[in-house]
Amino acid sequence: MDKKFKDLGERAADICRRHCCSKRSGTAPDFPRDSQPDRPKDFPVDLWRDLGRENLMGIIIPEQYKGLGLGLDALAPVTEQLVISGASMGFALTFLIHHLVCHHFIITHADKCHRDALLPSMASGEVTAAFAVSEPGVGAHPKYLKTRAKKKDKDLIITGEKSFVTNAPLADLFIVISVTGTKNNRNLFSAVIVPRQTSGLTVGKSMDIGRLYPCPHASLTLERCSVKQTYVTGKPDLAFETMAIPFKRLEELMVPVIVSGAMINLFKTLGSRLPVNLQKSEAPALEAMACRLSQMAHSSIKECMNHRNYNFPPAKTREFARRTEQSRQYFRDLMQRAKIPPDRNQDQFDRDLTTFLGLFH
């Protein structure tokens, strides 16, 4: 691993460890709670702010916008180290989505005006954005999406609902996929930047989805929200093909580093709890499995960056999922052989891991 990337990962790990009040295997540590009423309950805002102060919220933002100017291959070890150091998979997802929305919708697709206005604050973590595509009852299927943006003079009037929006309770602005026309009986979509304070936009309460704690989710209601037509980012009418689908693939590419970080954390904790008669034989096997998962996750990212193409073979993600499942079963079997009782947070860990692995099927 590049020394600079390793140093970034160690900085993130140090910050995370400072915020941990207790060690818990493979799940969220007890972070200090935020007292601001407009924040989602129990989200570790102090950790979020400290990562921003260390410039770790702007890893992939160009230096001209006060970021570090690095790539996804630098974001990967930082995200992984957060989980290794005790942050939950849910917090790592919140961190990752902040960067990916910034990378995909602002850096790659937004015009200079929006890059100038948003990126410096996103680099510090003072501003974050959420991507809103799914709708109640239909998910993200383009045939059934109903949120619509209609032109009126120089404005767009947006009406509709979005559901299960990751990071919505934290977000200062939303990238909203909206129907902006039809062609050959098929909807055309545009991605519209909608600031949180826009009149008619209501962010629902943070949802308890039973997994990925403390990553916040919420619904959005848009009632005749008016924004300038210049708030369209990317290619008008082509957002689903050029933005929504590639963003899903980008998530699938990056999520494995969260999983590998969680498995490294889990196996390290188990190794320290093994009885002496099993440590010599089993600890190296645990380490080897965790390292293999990490190598697979990072190599896929580097390969895609080298080819400038995120359409990596589905077989690779399925193989990663298969190996992870094998490692999880090995962990369960070893716990039984060693007569170690399950951690009190093991159910949460399993739900989170199953949720992530579900992306690859």
Coordinates of all heavy atoms in Angstrom, one line a residue, residues 17-82:
R17 N -10.3 5.8 17.4 CA -10.0 5.2 18.7 C -10.1 6.2 19.8 O -10.6 5.8 20.9 CB -8.5 4.6 18.7 CG -8.4 3.2 18.0 CD -7.1 2.6 18.3 NE -6.0 3.3 17.6 CZ -5.5 2.9 16.4 NH1 -6.0 1.9 15.8 NH2 -4.5 3.6 15.9
R18 N -9.8 7.4 19.6 CA -10.0 8.5 20.6 C -11.4 8.7 21.0 O -11.8 9.1 22.1 CB -9.4 9.8 20.1 CG -7.9 9.9 20.1 CD -7.4 11.3 20.1 NE -7.9 12.2 19.1 CZ -7.4 12.3 17.9 NH1 -6.2 11.7 17.6 NH2 -7.9 13.1 17.0
H19 N -12.3 8.4 20.0 CA -13.8 8.6 20.3 C -14.4 7.4 20.9 O -15.6 7.4 21.3 CB -14.5 9.0 19.0 CG -14.3 10.4 18.6 ND1 -15.2 11.4 19.0 CD2 -13.3 11.1 17.9 CE1 -14.8 12.6 18.6 NE2 -13.7 12.4 17.9
C20 N -13.7 6.2 20.9 CA -14.3 5.0 21.4 C -14.3 5.1 23.0 O -13.3 5.3 23.6 CB -13.6 3.8 21.0 SG -13.8 3.4 19.2
C21 N -15.5 4.9 23.6 CA -15.5 4.8 25.0 C -15.5 3.4 25.5 O -15.3 3.1 26.7 CB -16.8 5.5 25.5 SG -16.8 7.3 25.1
S22 N -15.8 2.4 24.6 CA -15.7 1.0 25.0 C -15.4 0.2 23.7 O -15.8 0.6 22.6 CB -17.0 0.5 25.6 OG -18.1 0.6 24.7
K23 N -14.8 -0.9 23.8 CA -14.5 -1.8 22.7 C -15.6 -2.8 22.6 O -15.9 -3.5 23.6 CB -13.2 -2.5 22.9 CG -12.0 -1.6 22.5 CD -11.9 -1.5 21.0 CE -10.7 -0.7 20.5 NZ -10.6 -0.6 19.1
R24 N -16.2 -3.0 21.4 CA -17.2 -4.0 21.2 C -16.9 -4.7 19.9 O -16.7 -4.0 18.9 CB -18.6 -3.4 21.2 CG -18.9 -2.7 22.5 CD -20.4 -2.4 22.6 NE -20.7 -1.4 21.7 CZ -22.0 -0.9 21.6 NH1 -22.9 -1.4 22.3 NH2 -22.3 0.1 20.7
S25 N -17.0 -6.0 19.8 CA -16.6 -6.7 18.7 C -17.5 -6.5 17.5 O -18.7 -6.8 17.5 CB -16.7 -8.2 19.0 OG -16.5 -9.0 17.8
G26 N -16.9 -5.9 16.4 CA -17.6 -5.9 15.1 C -18.8 -5.0 15.0 O -19.6 -5.1 14.1
T27 N -19.0 -4.1 16.0 CA -20.1 -3.2 16.0 C -19.8 -1.8 16.5 O -18.6 -1.5 16.7 CB -21.3 -3.8 16.9 OG1 -22.4 -3.0 16.7 CG2 -20.9 -3.9 18.3
A28 N -20.8 -1.0 16.7 CA -20.5 0.4 17.0 C -20.0 0.6 18.4 O -20.6 0.0 19.4 CB -21.8 1.2 16.8
P29 N -18.9 1.3 18.7 CA -18.5 1.6 20.0 C -19.5 2.7 20.6 O -20.3 3.3 19.9 CB -17.1 2.2 19.9 CG -17.1 2.7 18.5 CD -18.0 1.9 17.7
D30 N -19.4 3.0 21.9 CA -20.2 4.0 22.5 C -19.6 5.4 22.3 O -18.7 5.8 23.0 CB -20.4 3.7 24.0 CG -21.2 2.5 24.3 OD1 -22.1 2.3 23.5 OD2 -20.9 1.8 25.2
F31 N -20.0 6.0 21.2 CA -19.5 7.4 20.9 C -20.2 8.4 21.8 O -21.4 8.2 22.2 CB -19.7 7.7 19.5 CG -18.8 6.9 18.5 CD1 -19.4 5.9 17.7 CD2 -17.5 7.2 18.4 CE1 -18.6 5.2 16.9 CE2 -16.7 6.5 17.6 CZ -17.2 5.5 16.8
P32 N -19.5 9.5 22.0 CA -20.3 10.6 22.7 C -21.5 11.1 21.9 O -21.4 11.1 20.6 CB -19.2 11.7 22.7 CG -17.9 11.1 22.6 CD -18.1 9.8 21.8
R33 N -22.5 11.4 22.5 CA -23.8 11.7 21.8 C -23.8 13.2 21.5 O -23.3 14.0 22.2 CB -25.0 11.3 22.6 CG -25.0 9.9 23.1 CD -24.8 8.9 21.9 NE -25.0 7.5 22.4 CZ -24.6 6.5 21.7 NH1 -23.9 6.6 20.6 NH2 -24.8 5.3 22.1
D34 N -24.5 13.5 20.4 CA -24.6 14.9 20.0 C -25.9 15.5 20.6 O -26.9 14.8 20.6 CB -24.7 15.0 18.4 CG -24.8 16.5 18.0 OD1 -23.9 17.3 18.5 OD2 -25.6 16.8 17.2
S35 N -25.9 16.7 21.1 CA -27.0 17.3 21.7 C -27.9 18.2 20.8 O -28.9 18.7 21.2 CB -26.5 18.1 22.9 OG -25.7 19.2 22.5
Q36 N -27.4 18.3 19.6 CA -28.2 19.2 18.7 C -29.5 18.5 18.3 O -29.5 17.4 17.8 CB -27.4 19.6 17.4 CG -26.2 20.5 17.7 CD -25.5 20.9 16.5 OE1 -24.4 20.4 16.3 NE2 -26.1 21.7 15.7
P37 N -30.6 19.2 18.4 CA -31.9 18.5 18.2 C -32.2 18.2 16.7 O -33.0 17.4 16.4 CB -33.0 19.6 18.7 CG -32.2 20.9 18.6 CD -30.8 20.6 18.9
D38 N -31.4 18.9 15.8 CA -31.7 18.7 14.4 C -30.8 17.6 13.8 O -30.8 17.3 12.6 CB -31.4 20.0 13.6 CG -30.0 20.5 13.7 OD1 -29.3 20.2 14.7 OD2 -29.5 21.1 12.7
R39 N -30.1 16.9 14.6 CA -29.2 15.8 14.2 C -29.9 14.5 14.5 O -30.7 14.4 15.5 CB -27.9 15.8 14.9 CG -27.0 17.0 14.6 CD -26.6 17.0 13.1 NE -25.7 18.1 12.9 CZ -25.0 18.3 11.7 NH1 -25.2 17.4 10.7 NH2 -24.3 19.3 11.5
P40 N -29.7 13.4 13.7 CA -30.3 12.1 14.1 C -29.8 11.6 15.4 O -28.6 11.8 15.8 CB -29.8 11.2 12.9 CG -28.6 11.9 12.4 CD -28.8 13.4 12.5
K41 N -30.7 11.0 16.1 CA -30.3 10.5 17.5 C -29.1 9.5 17.5 O -29.0 8.6 16.6 CB -31.6 9.8 18.1 CG -31.4 9.3 19.5 CD -32.6 8.6 20.0 CE -32.4 8.1 21.4 NZ -33.6 7.3 21.9
D42 N -28.2 9.8 18.4 CA -27.1 8.9 18.6 C -26.1 8.8 17.5 O -25.2 7.9 17.4 CB -27.6 7.5 18.9 CG -28.3 7.4 20.2 OD1 -28.2 8.3 21.0 OD2 -28.9 6.3 20.5
F43 N -26.1 9.8 16.6 CA -25.1 9.8 15.5 C -23.8 10.5 16.1 O -23.9 11.6 16.7 CB -25.5 10.6 14.3 CG -24.5 10.5 13.2 CD1 -24.5 9.4 12.3 CD2 -23.6 11.5 12.9 CE1 -23.5 9.3 11.3 CE2 -22.7 11.5 11.9 CZ -22.6 10.3 11.1
P44 N -22.6 9.9 15.9 CA -21.4 10.5 16.5 C -20.9 11.7 15.7 O -19.9 11.6 15.0 CB -20.4 9.3 16.4 CG -20.9 8.5 15.2 CD -22.4 8.6 15.2
V45 N -21.6 12.8 15.9 CA -21.2 14.0 15.2 C -19.8 14.5 15.6 O -19.1 15.1 14.7 CB -22.3 15.1 15.5 CG1 -21.9 16.5 14.8 CG2 -23.6 14.7 15.0
D46 N -19.4 14.3 16.8 CA -18.0 14.8 17.2 C -17.0 14.0 16.3 O -16.0 14.6 15.9 CB -17.8 14.5 18.7 CG -18.6 15.5 19.5 OD1 -19.0 16.5 19.0 OD2 -18.7 15.3 20.7
L47 N -17.2 12.8 16.1 CA -16.2 12.0 15.3 C -16.3 12.5 13.8 O -15.2 12.7 13.2 CB -16.6 10.5 15.3 CG -15.9 9.6 14.3 CD1 -14.4 9.6 14.6 CD2 -16.4 8.2 14.4
W48 N -17.5 12.8 13.3 CA -17.6 13.3 12.0 C -16.9 14.7 11.8 O -16.1 14.9 10.9 CB -19.1 13.5 11.7 CG -19.5 13.9 10.3 CD1 -19.8 15.2 9.9 CD2 -19.8 13.0 9.3 NE1 -20.2 15.1 8.6 CE2 -20.2 13.8 8.2 CE3 -19.8 11.6 9.1 CZ2 -20.5 13.3 6.9 CZ3 -20.1 11.1 7.9 CH2 -20.5 11.9 6.8
R49 N -17.0 15.5 12.8 CA -16.3 16.8 12.8 C -14.8 16.7 12.9 O -14.1 17.4 12.2 CB -16.9 17.7 13.9 CG -18.3 18.2 13.8 CD -18.8 18.9 15.0 NE -20.2 19.4 14.9 CZ -21.0 19.6 15.9 NH1 -20.6 19.4 17.1 NH2 -22.2 20.0 15.7
D50 N -14.4 15.8 13.7 CA -12.9 15.6 13.8 C -12.3 15.1 12.6 O -11.2 15.4 12.2 CB -12.6 14.7 15.0 CG -12.7 15.4 16.3 OD1 -12.9 16.7 16.3 OD2 -12.5 14.8 17.4
L51 N -13.0 14.2 11.9 CA -12.5 13.7 10.6 C -12.5 14.9 9.6 O -11.5 14.9 8.8 CB -13.5 12.6 10.0 CG -13.4 11.3 10.8 CD1 -14.6 10.4 10.4 CD2 -12.1 10.6 10.6
G52 N -13.4 15.8 9.7 CA -13.4 16.9 8.8 C -12.2 17.9 9.1 O -11.6 18.4 8.2
R53 N -12.0 18.1 10.4 CA -10.8 18.9 10.8 C -9.5 18.4 10.3 O -8.6 19.1 10.0 CB -10.8 19.1 12.3 CG -12.0 19.9 12.9 CD -11.8 20.2 14.4 NE -13.0 20.7 15.0 CZ -13.8 20.1 15.7 NH1 -13.6 18.8 16.0 NH2 -14.9 20.7 16.2
E54 N -9.4 17.1 10.2 CA -8.2 16.4 9.7 C -8.2 16.3 8.2 O -7.3 15.6 7.6 CB -8.0 15.0 10.3 CG -7.7 15.1 11.8 CD -6.3 15.6 12.0 OE1 -5.4 15.2 11.3 OE2 -6.1 16.3 13.0
N55 N -9.1 16.9 7.5 CA -9.3 16.9 6.0 C -9.6 15.5 5.5 O -9.4 15.3 4.3 CB -8.0 17.4 5.4 CG -8.3 18.3 4.2 OD1 -9.4 18.6 3.9 ND2 -7.2 18.7 3.5
L56 N -10.1 14.6 6.3 CA -10.5 13.3 5.9 C -11.9 13.2 5.3 O -12.3 12.1 4.9 CB -10.3 12.3 7.0 CG -8.8 12.1 7.5 CD1 -8.7 11.2 8.7 CD2 -8.0 11.6 6.4
M57 N -12.6 14.3 5.3 CA -13.9 14.3 4.6 C -13.7 14.8 3.2 O -14.7 14.9 2.4 CB -14.9 15.2 5.3 CG -15.1 14.8 6.8 SD -15.7 13.2 7.0 CE -17.4 13.3 6.3
G58 N -12.5 15.2 2.8 CA -12.2 15.7 1.5 C -11.1 14.9 0.8 O -10.4 15.5 0.0
I59 N -11.1 13.6 1.0 CA -10.0 12.8 0.5 C -9.9 12.9 -1.1 O -8.9 13.0 -1.7 CB -10.1 11.3 0.9 CG1 -10.0 11.2 2.4 CG2 -9.2 10.4 0.2 CD1 -10.3 9.9 3.0
I60 N -11.1 12.8 -1.7 CA -11.1 12.7 -3.2 C -11.5 14.1 -3.8 O -11.7 14.2 -5.0 CB -12.1 11.6 -3.7 CG1 -13.5 11.8 -3.1 CG2 -11.5 10.3 -3.3 CD1 -14.5 10.8 -3.6
I61 N -11.5 15.1 -3.0 CA -11.8 16.5 -3.5 C -10.5 17.1 -4.0 O -9.5 17.1 -3.3 CB -12.5 17.3 -2.4 CG1 -13.9 16.8 -2.2 CG2 -12.7 18.8 -2.9 CD1 -14.7 17.5 -1.1
P62 N -10.5 17.8 -5.1 CA -9.3 18.4 -5.6 C -8.7 19.4 -4.7 O -9.4 20.1 -3.9 CB -9.7 19.1 -6.9 CG -10.9 18.3 -7.4 CD -11.6 17.9 -6.1
E63 N -7.4 19.6 -4.7 CA -6.7 20.5 -3.8 C -7.2 21.9 -3.9 O -7.2 22.7 -3.0 CB -5.2 20.3 -4.0 CG -4.6 19.0 -3.5 CD -3.1 18.9 -3.8 OE1 -2.7 19.2 -4.9 OE2 -2.4 18.6 -2.8
Q64 N -7.5 22.3 -5.2 CA -8.0 23.7 -5.4 C -9.2 24.0 -4.6 O -9.6 25.2 -4.4 CB -8.2 23.9 -6.9 CG -9.4 23.2 -7.4 CD -9.5 23.2 -8.9 OE1 -8.9 22.4 -9.6 NE2 -10.2 24.2 -9.5
Y65 N -9.9 22.9 -4.2 CA -11.2 23.1 -3.4 C -10.9 22.7 -1.9 O -11.9 22.4 -1.2 CB -12.3 22.3 -3.9 CG -12.7 22.7 -5.3 CD1 -12.5 21.9 -6.4 CD2 -13.3 24.0 -5.5 CE1 -12.9 22.3 -7.7 CE2 -13.7 24.4 -6.8 CZ -13.4 23.6 -7.9 OH -13.8 24.0 -9.2
K66 N -9.7 22.7 -1.5 CA -9.3 22.5 -0.1 C -9.4 21.0 0.3 O -9.4 20.6 1.5 CB -10.1 23.3 0.9 CG -9.9 24.8 0.7 CD -10.7 25.6 1.7 CE -10.5 27.1 1.4 NZ -11.2 27.9 2.4
G67 N -9.4 20.1 -0.7 CA -9.4 18.7 -0.5 C -8.0 18.1 -0.6 O -7.0 18.9 -0.7
L68 N -7.8 16.8 -0.5 CA -6.5 16.2 -0.6 C -6.2 15.8 -2.1 O -5.0 15.5 -2.4 CB -6.5 14.9 0.3 CG -6.6 15.2 1.8 CD1 -6.6 13.8 2.5 CD2 -5.6 16.1 2.3
G69 N -7.1 15.8 -2.9 CA -6.9 15.6 -4.4 C -6.5 14.1 -4.7 O -5.8 13.9 -5.6
L70 N -6.9 13.2 -3.9 CA -6.6 11.8 -4.1 C -7.7 11.0 -4.7 O -8.7 11.6 -5.1 CB -6.2 11.1 -2.7 CG -5.0 11.8 -2.0 CD1 -4.8 11.2 -0.7 CD2 -3.7 11.7 -2.9
G71 N -7.6 9.7 -4.9 CA -8.6 8.9 -5.6 C -9.3 7.9 -4.7 O -9.1 7.9 -3.5
L72 N -10.1 7.1 -5.3 CA -10.9 6.0 -4.6 C -9.9 5.1 -3.9 O -10.3 4.5 -2.9 CB -11.8 5.3 -5.6 CG -12.9 6.1 -6.3 CD1 -13.6 5.3 -7.2 CD2 -13.8 6.8 -5.2
D73 N -8.7 4.9 -4.5 CA -7.8 4.0 -3.9 C -7.2 4.5 -2.6 O -6.6 3.8 -1.7 CB -6.6 3.6 -4.8 CG -6.0 4.8 -5.4 OD1 -6.5 6.0 -5.3 OD2 -4.9 4.7 -6.1
A74 N -7.4 5.8 -2.3 CA -7.0 6.4 -1.0 C -8.2 6.4 -0.1 O -8.0 6.2 1.1 CB -6.5 7.8 -1.2
L75 N -9.4 6.6 -0.6 CA -10.6 6.5 0.2 C -10.7 5.1 0.8 O -11.2 5.0 2.0 CB -11.8 6.9 -0.6 CG -13.2 6.8 0.0 CD1 -13.3 7.7 1.2 CD2 -14.3 7.1 -1.0
A76 N -10.4 4.1 0.1 CA -10.6 2.7 0.5 C -9.9 2.4 1.8 O -10.6 1.9 2.7 CB -10.2 1.7 -0.6
P77 N -8.6 2.6 2.0 CA -8.0 2.2 3.2 C -8.4 3.1 4.4 O -8.4 2.6 5.6 CB -6.5 2.4 3.0 CG -6.4 3.4 1.8 CD -7.6 3.1 1.0
V78 N -8.8 4.3 4.2 CA -9.3 5.1 5.3 C -10.7 4.5 5.8 O -10.9 4.4 7.0 CB -9.5 6.6 4.9 CG1 -10.2 7.4 6.0 CG2 -8.1 7.2 4.5
T79 N -11.5 4.2 4.9 CA -12.8 3.6 5.2 C -12.6 2.3 6.0 O -13.3 2.0 7.0 CB -13.7 3.4 4.0 OG1 -13.8 4.6 3.2 CG2 -15.1 2.9 4.3
E80 N -11.7 1.5 5.4 CA -11.5 0.2 6.1 C -10.9 0.4 7.5 O -11.3 -0.3 8.4 CB -10.5 -0.6 5.2 CG -10.2 -2.0 5.7 CD -9.3 -2.7 4.7 OE1 -8.1 -2.2 4.5 OE2 -9.7 -3.8 4.2
Q81 N -10.0 1.3 7.6 CA -9.4 1.5 9.0 C -10.4 2.0 10.0 O -10.3 1.7 11.2 CB -8.2 2.5 8.8 CG -6.9 1.8 8.4 CD -6.4 0.8 9.4 OE1 -6.6 0.9 10.6 NE2 -5.7 -0.2 8.9
L82 N -11.4 2.8 9.6 CA -12.4 3.2 10.5 C -13.1 2.0 11.1 O -13.3 2.0 12.4 CB -13.4 4.1 9.8 CG -13.0 5.5 9.5 CD1 -14.1 6.2 8.6 CD2 -12.8 6.4 10.7

